[in-house]
Amino acid sequence: MHIKMVFAAALTLACSATSALALDGAAQATQSAQVQSPPWQHGQNNDAVDRGFEFTVPDADNLADFHGNPAHPALVLYVGGNYFFAMAPLVKAFEEKYPEYKGRLYWETIPPGLLVDQMKAGGIVTVGNMTWTAKPDVYLAGLNAVQKQVDAGLLQAPAVPYATNDMTIMVAKGNPKHITGLLDLGRPDITLAMPNPEFEGISRQIKASLDKAGGERLETTIYESKVKQGTTELTHIHHRQTPLWIMQGRVDAGVTWQSEAVFQEQIGHPIGHVAIPESQNTTAIYAAAIVKSTAHAEAARRWLDFIRSEQSLAIFERFGFKRYTPRSP
């Protein structure tokens, strides 16, 4: 009887130890996933004053591109996601200028084409099992994308430009694959994260730059051959997926806007970038316009004025953007 009791106790201890190790391993895996999962802003991009009960599991339940409280906002912004990281300081500065809007802004930072789809759907969006409505007041994207929606009748003229951005090659810190330029992205040993041409506007600029660097052959290699081979993965939200996949070791590099690489470096992530020479680069011009169906016309006009202000442009410059300067005729 005594032997049986000792054996049972030993078995219990062994099971407990195994369970503890399993739990410890699970905890480490969860911690690792949380370190490498969005949101990068650690909650700073939520404008809501009263956040109520908080439930966020970074690698399973998170809405990193939707910010604030969509219930009765005073201003709704549809922002092309390329500067999601600049929105927190921009909103803070705007609310300091107009305290009546404190905690009452809602904004989204998914790709511009998808924002248009949501606009056409009456502002209704579904993420996972959650559906809500947030009709936009201002649409902010590339100048051509904004002008297209002005011409289509969704936005009020004019399209107002305010900042520019150049492209770069995002790589792991230290550039372990020794990538020197766009031509190297065609190498068979380089795995890539590249924006999907179906709904990511940056893909048009990337293809133009690839043509400048290596002609149609380089563009075909990266966007067709390597896609078929599985060495190019097409993103849905490049400004989040590209750095994440690089940090996870899933890909080696990807073409992004320079500001996105600068932001990742500024916050200490193991990311670097390789400059694309001016002769091969493509510059984006960011613009905004008020939505024709805006429910908050005064707030929308104030945001449009603010986004071109010295205070706003200084924030953009912190992340490597440049001020828009109209070209001479």
Side-chain angles (χ1 to χ4, degrees):
M1 185 70 175
H2 178 70
I3 293 175
K4 289 182 179 179
M5 291 175 64
V6 170
F7 178 75
L11 184 61
T12 300
L13 286 172
C15 289
S16 298
T18 302
S19 298
L21 287 171
L23 287 171
D24 185 57
Q28 289 178 358
T30 299
Q31 184 179 25
S32 175
Q34 289 176 346
V35 167
Q36 294 189 352
S37 292
W40 315 109
Q41 294 295 104
H42 308 294
Q44 294 179 36
N45 265 10
N46 185 350
D47 191 49
V49 175
D50 181 5
R51 301 190 187 184
F53 170 70
E54 294 199 31
F55 178 80
T56 304
V57 182
D59 62 331
D61 279 289
N62 93 66
L63 295 166
D65 278 292
F66 303 88
H67 315 85
N69 189 341
H72 311 298
L75 179 62
V76 176
L77 306 171
Y78 278 17
V79 185
N82 299 324
Y83 59 84
F84 71 96
F85 44 84
M87 283 301 295
L90 285 170
V91 168
K92 181 181 179 182
F94 180 77
E95 291 178 343
E96 287 174 352
K97 184 174 183 178
Y98 302 106
E100 61 267 38
Y101 297 122
K102 176 68 177 176
R104 301 182 63 203
L105 268 67
Y106 170 88
W107 66 97
E108 300 182 8
T109 53
I110 60 178
L114 301 183
L115 289 170
V116 171
D117 289 342
Q118 184 180 349
M119 209 182 311
K120 291 178 178 178
I124 303 172
V125 63
T126 294
V127 182
N129 295 317
M130 182 178 176
T131 298
W132 68 96
T133 301
K135 295 182 179 181
D137 299 302
V138 183
Y139 176 74
L140 304 99
L143 177 58
N144 290 337
V146 175
Q147 186 59 52
K148 181 179 179 181
Q149 299 312 318
V150 170
D151 296 340
L154 287 176
L155 307 177
Q156 301 176 25
V160 179
Y162 49 89
T164 67
N165 207 355
D166 296 324
M167 293 190 301
T168 193
I169 303 171
M170 186 181 287
V171 297
K173 186 176 181 180
N175 193 12
K177 287 287 188 173
H178 306 293
I179 295 169
T180 61
L182 290 172
L183 281 173
D184 284 339
L185 302 187
R187 286 165 33 192
D189 64 312
I190 301 294
T191 55
L192 298 172
M194 298 296 283
N196 194 317
E198 288 189 22
F199 42 77
E200 298 232 53
I202 186 178
S203 62
R204 292 190 295 274
Q205 287 97 331
I206 290 173
K207 287 184 176 184
S209 288
L210 292 174
D211 284 342
K212 293 175 185 177
E216 186 178 346
R217 182 177 179 181
L218 180 61
E219 178 191 331
T220 301
T221 297
I222 289 172
Y223 264 104
E224 293 182 24
S225 302
K226 288 175 72 90
V227 170
K228 292 176 182 177
Q229 295 163 3
T231 53
T232 289
E233 290 195 63
L234 298 180
T235 65
H236 285 76
I237 308 177
H238 79 272
H239 57 271
R240 295 193 184 278
Q241 290 174 302
T242 301
L244 181 62
W245 290 356
I246 290 173
M247 287 192 287
Q248 290 174 336
R250 180 168 165 174
V251 300
D252 300 313
V255 180
T256 68
W257 295 115
Q258 176 179 281
S259 57
E260 293 160 17
V262 169
F263 167 68
Q264 295 294 336
E265 293 168 4
Q266 284 179 353
I267 62 176
H269 284 167
I271 292 292
H273 70 280
V274 177
I276 298 173
E278 185 177 351
S279 61
Q280 298 174 3
N281 218 315
T282 303
T283 299
I285 300 173
Y286 294 105
I290 298 173
V291 179
K292 275 195 173 180
S293 59
T294 177
H296 309 104
E298 183 179 15
R301 286 192 295 269
R302 285 178 169 180
W303 181 267
L304 211 58
D305 289 338
F306 167 77
I307 203 71
R308 294 173 286 170
S309 68
E310 285 296 315
Q311 189 176 16
S312 172
L313 293 173
I315 292 171
F316 278 112
E317 288 175 336
R318 279 166 32 194
F319 299 104
F321 294 87
K322 299 181 180 69
R323 299 173 183 227
Y324 171 76
T325 302
R327 294 179 180 177
S328 299

